[in-house]
Amino acid sequence: MNTPLSIVVLISGSGSNLQAIIDEIAAAKINANIAAVISNKADVYGLERAKAANIPTEVIKHEQFDSRESFDAALQKTIDSYQPDLVVLAGFMRILTPAFVQHYLGRMINIHPSLLPAYKGIHTHQRAIDDHVKEHGASVHFVTPELDGGPVIIQAHVPVLPDDTAEELAKRVLKQEHIIYPKVVRWFAERRLRLEDAQIIFDGEKLQQAIKLGG
Ligand code: GAR
């Protein structure tokens, strides 16, 4: 058996994706250990979830730094003190500096609530509804310096229903996020997934297109 994958999870909010990963580790479906959960906001529910699972927590408030660079440097120092194999961005709502991203290239992943490259950025659900698209969803991708632009590993497709509100659509997308994010973490723990020359290698082969779930 592989040594357990050491993970640091970064959050800014509710932490339901964090919870999905905690639950699968607890159920021994993922051979990993969450070394720490770091939030850029105090008093978010995700920190309670981490504490309930006996995971060390850290809060690094971005507003206490006078530049993105100094915040990212402090964040990097804290993350690296745990020596993780993988950094998991789970609702971490910060734009990251190129130096920070470069430091974790190939070992940092993000989940984004859209079928990338569609709807990078925020308010993804409302934008999908406003455009009357039939399908929306979520993507897990390697983080590269381009915002929400790194190679996509897996996407969950979710139909947009007539009369959907952004809240209803978000809820259905989130349910799928809780399936695809732990799956990707498990693949890492099984050492089946890596980034090589900007290409995803999955089970020893170049992944030609994102793995698709649903739709
Ligand atoms: C999730 O929907 C995630 O995809 C999104 O924030 C939510 C966090 O929920 N992330 C982004 O928008 C990143 N750009 P959670 O805190 O309950 O996991």
Side-chain angles (χ1 to χ4, degrees), residues 140-155:
V140 178
H141 65 94
F142 280 99
V143 179
T144 61
E146 191 199 336
L147 179 69
D148 299 329
V152 177
I153 302 161
I154 187 170
Q155 293 187 313

Side-chain angles (χ1 to χ4, degrees), residues 106-143:
R107 46 194 189 107
M108 181 158 65
I109 55 175
N110 180 43
I111 190 156
H112 182 76
S114 79
L115 295 173
L116 290 171
Y119 307 119
K120 296 176 178 180
I122 56 174
H123 306 310
T124 60
H125 309 297
Q126 190 59 55
R127 285 156 66 204
I129 289 170
D130 291 348
D131 286 348
H132 304 286
V133 294
K134 289 199 173 74
E135 272 202 320
H136 186 49
S139 307
V140 178
H141 65 94
F142 280 99
V143 179

Side-chain angles (χ1 to χ4, degrees), residues 43 47 80 126 153 180 203:
D43 306 322
L47 289 168
D80 286 354
Q126 190 59 55
I153 302 161
I180 60 174
D203 284 344

Side-chain angles (χ1 to χ4, degrees), residues 78-92:
T78 304
I79 295 171
D80 286 354
S81 72
Y82 292 97
Q83 299 188 293
D85 302 307
L86 184 68
V87 177
V88 173
L89 307 185
F92 187 61

Side-chain angles (χ1 to χ4, degrees), residues 11-18 49 90-93 110-113 121-122 124-125 138 148 170 173-174 177-178:
I11 61 166
S12 302
S14 139
S16 70
N17 278 291
L18 164 69
R49 296 181 192 269
F92 187 61
M93 305 304 279
N110 180 43
I111 190 156
H112 182 76
I122 56 174
T124 60
H125 309 297
D148 299 329
V173 170
L174 199 56
E177 293 185 35
H178 300 159

